Amino acid sequence: MRKEITIGAAQLGPIARSDSRKVVVERLIELMRKAKKSGCDIVVYPELALTSFFPRWYMENQEDVDSFFEHEMPGTATKPLFQFAVENEIGFYLGYAELSQESGTVHRYNTSILVDKNGKIVGKFRKVHIPGHFDHEPSWSFQHLEKRYFESGNLGFPVWESEGVKMGMCICNDRRWPETYRVMGLQGVEVVLLGYNTPTHYPPNESPEADALTLFHNHLSMQAGAYQNSTWVVGVAKAGCEEGCDMIGQSAIIAPSGEIVAQSVTLGDELVAAVCDLDLGRPYRENHLNLGMHREIDSYQLITERKGVGPPLGKRSSG
Ligand code: ING
């Protein structure tokens, strides 16, 4: 019996700064309704799917920043989404800004959760690779202050078994780093779910060539990650012109071969679904990309900061 899971990539168009959580959750539910009609077992939403991509704004007042964070999950505004999921027996991946109290200290993460068909949160991931910058750059047309608003994730890259499928998660910039997929690949991951908010122009990149390659690099990163780790990868965008900032779409469902089997074609709310045969990863995982058989760990030149060599660690603040 082939092991299959039908996955819905639920791309979102722009979310305005003034849009309430209630209005956004209604859009998420509408996409889940379409997913159900398409026979989906699970729906994947973008990174920071409940609000506008607020790191594009410099905010001095912490209360203003914290208004974009969820203090509990599910909370009042998100309970209807969990409810609808349980009634329709569908799981989901949701990206959101998490404010958490850990032994009396407030921490802020760029987070995603994996929720099963019974509405249970089976897994949580916190974005590890935090892009952008810490200090306000007033000369730029917009900011990318993720390093100011989020801590780097402290949960690693776990893989969970849900509905009999080995699933992992990551968020946006994580998809650009091979380690992200490899750590999950070494755990036998079969499906990697991820959401992203990717501006066409990334402020720290000054070269115009970089903008022209944003779409290419988006799929390149996910297709390589899929193929090199024999896993499905589902990448879902928050897309369109959001508060004056153009963001790419190109949400995609990618097979372990690296081939794109389904892709969004708009920059708005759009559901793209595919039946994912999990056995398609087997020929790669067991043969020419068998991680246990062919990797030569001892011969790898691992350059790390601990040995005092390699590139300087990125700075989180000007200090
Ligand atoms: N956004 C972007 C991303 O990694 C970026 C940041 C854009 C980095 C373009 C490099 C090039 O897709 C988030 N939210 O990480």
Side-chain angles (χ1 to χ4, degrees):
M1 166 76 167
R2 287 201 327 185
K3 204 164 113 178
E4 291 178 349
I5 180 170
T6 302
I7 302 178
Q11 175 179 290
L12 283 175
I15 297 179
R17 185 170 189 163
S18 57
D19 282 346
S20 68
R21 300 289 197 280
K22 184 175 182 303
V23 162
V24 175
V25 167
E26 282 163 6
R27 287 169 59 185
L28 301 181
I29 288 173
E30 181 51 31
L31 284 162
M32 191 176 275
R33 189 174 287 114
K34 287 183 179 162
K36 187 63 186 171
K37 279 195 194 127
S38 307
C40 291
D41 298 304
I42 187 166
V43 177
V44 184
Y45 295 111
E47 168 192 30
L48 298 176
L50 297 173
T51 66
S52 203
F53 184 73
F54 62 92
R56 70 166 66 90
W57 296 303
Y58 173 66
M59 293 172 271
E60 282 182 329
N61 182 328
Q62 190 61 51
E63 268 170 41
D64 293 341
V65 177
D66 287 354
S67 69
F68 291 95
F69 282 76
E70 308 308 312
H71 296 230
E72 53 180 347
M73 183 53 70
T76 314
T78 44
K79 274 201 181 89
L81 176 66
F82 280 69
Q83 191 106 29
F84 187 86
V86 170
E87 286 159 8
N88 288 277
E89 293 183 285
I90 196 163
F92 61 95
Y93 162 114
L94 180 69
Y96 66 95
E98 176 195 11
L99 189 145
S100 87
Q101 299 270 0
E102 290 162 28
S103 47
T105 312
V106 173
H107 295 270
R108 295 173 180 82
Y109 300 106
N110 189 339
T111 294
S112 65
I113 50 174
L114 177 61
V115 182
D116 70 11
K117 293 182 176 180
N118 305 309
K120 179 172 171 287
I121 297 176
V122 295
K124 176 182 276 190
F125 172 78
R126 288 166 173 164
K127 186 174 183 178
V128 170
H129 300 92
I130 304 292
H133 50 105
F134 185 90
D135 296 321
H136 184 204
E137 298 287 352
S139 65
W140 291 356
S141 44
F142 54 88
Q143 310 296 301
H144 199 108
L145 288 163
E146 290 195 64
K147 283 195 188 299
R148 188 180 193 87
Y149 297 149
F150 300 117
E151 290 177 49
S152 177
N154 58 352
L155 303 175
F157 297 100
V159 170
W160 299 273
E161 182 118 8
S162 180
E163 323 285 346
V165 179
K166 289 189 177 141
M167 290 191 201
M169 296 190 276
C170 70
I171 299 175
C172 206
N173 199 260
D174 288 319
R175 77 189 185 287
R176 298 178 189 276
W177 302 90
E179 295 89 344
T180 297
Y181 304 96
R182 182 47 47 91
V183 169
M184 290 188 268
L186 289 167
Q187 299 170 70
V189 74
E190 295 173 299
V191 182
V192 174
L193 307 176
L194 69 95
Y196 56 89
N197 285 222
T198 301
T200 306
H201 169 68
Y202 174 58
N205 273 349
E206 283 319 311
S207 73
E209 294 80 3
D211 290 4
L213 291 169
T214 303
L215 291 171
F216 169 66
H217 288 156
N218 177 44
H219 280 170
L220 173 68
S221 304
M222 297 191 287
Q223 288 178 272
Y227 166 62
Q228 290 171 346
N229 295 280
S230 311
T231 178
W232 286 85
V233 172
V234 180
V236 183
K238 168 104 77 50
C241 183
E242 185 177 83
E243 297 288 347
C245 175
D246 286 316
M247 301 213 287
I248 67 170
Q250 271 203 346
S251 302
I253 300 176
I254 297 164
S257 61
E259 294 167 293
I260 295 174
V261 300
Q263 178 179 332
S264 66
V265 290
T266 73
L267 292 175
D269 290 13
E270 179 179 351
L271 184 89
V272 176
V275 178
C276 302
D277 175 354
L278 298 170
D279 287 336
L280 291 180
R282 190 185 297 280
Y284 301 95
R285 191 176 299 122
E286 292 180 355
N287 298 301
H288 74 276
L289 288 169
N290 182 317
L291 298 178
M293 193 185 291
H294 300 308
R295 292 174 74 231
E296 298 298 342
I297 309 293
D298 297 343
S299 66
Y300 292 169
Q301 286 298 322
L302 293 180
I303 294 174
T304 70
E305 280 308 295
R306 281 190 297 281
K307 294 178 186 162
V309 294
L313 279 177
K315 288 203 178 320
R316 289 190 70 79
S317 70
S318 52

